[in-house]
Every structure is written in structure tokens, then in C-alpha cells.
Amino acid sequence: IQMYNNVLVEGVTYRIIMNSDKILENLVYKQKVNLNGKDMFCFVDIKHDERPTYLNISYIAGIIEIDTEMNSIIFDQMQEANQITSK
């Protein structure tokens, strides 16, 4: 979970995968906050009136950045790495 602290960029849109396998789409990262003693990530839902969504860091299974050039580059590199290791 600590790995997300320095990776998320304010204003970038993400897809969040929760531990319960629920997927939250089109959330724009705002900031990390502390609510009632718990670290939370604050996102804004761009499709629902930009209301804030607070997610407990410990319930997040994965975070995927949406609509960037790097996604396709990282995917290609991952496929190449998998081909090398499977030989």
C-alpha cells in the first residue's frame, strides 16, 4: 500500500480495483487525507458531479492509470518480458 503514496499524481484519472473485486472507474486523484486516524485517498468522480470519493488505502487491490501513452508502452514491455521468461 505504501507504494501508491508516491505514484499517484493529482489530476490524473484512475481505475481503482478494490479488494472486494469492485472496480471504480473514472476517478481523478486529488490528495491523500487522514480521516478519523485512517489514511485515505481522495478522488473526484468526474461522471457524477465531481463529488469526492474517499477510499481507505488498505482496501485497494490495484490502481490503473487511464488514457495515457505509458499504458500501452508498459503493456508491450510486460508482454515482451513474459515471452522471454516463457522460453
Side-chain angles (χ1 to χ4, degrees):
I1 300 307
Q2 199 68 14
M3 68 182 175
Y4 296 127
N5 290 337
N6 299 322
V7 175
L8 298 177
V9 178
E10 185 175 343
V12 173
T13 304
Y14 294 93
R15 176 180 298 130
I16 311 298
I17 301 131
M18 304 302 290
N19 288 341
S20 63
D21 292 333
K22 180 175 182 172
I23 297 175
L24 306 172
E25 302 276 351
N26 299 313
L27 296 179
V28 177
Y29 179 69
K30 291 309 233 181
Q31 63 186 343
K32 181 178 163 188
V33 296
N34 190 296
L35 297 174
N36 298 323
K38 299 210 181 247
D39 286 332
M40 305 272 198
F41 288 137
C42 178
F43 292 89
V44 174
D45 187 340
I46 58 176
K47 295 202 175 195
H48 294 98
D49 302 324
E50 295 193 6
R51 65 179 177 211
T53 300
Y54 296 95
L55 300 175
N56 186 325
I57 295 170
S58 62
Y59 295 120
I60 297 174
I63 297 178
I64 300 170
E65 191 172 333
I66 299 176
D67 296 332
T68 67
E69 292 179 21
M70 288 305 293
N71 284 350
S72 61
I73 294 169
I74 292 169
F75 180 76
D76 291 343
Q77 289 175 346
M78 182 182 67
Q79 283 189 319
E80 288 174 15
N82 286 341
Q83 288 175 355
I84 292 170
T85 57
S86 65
K87 290 182 179 180

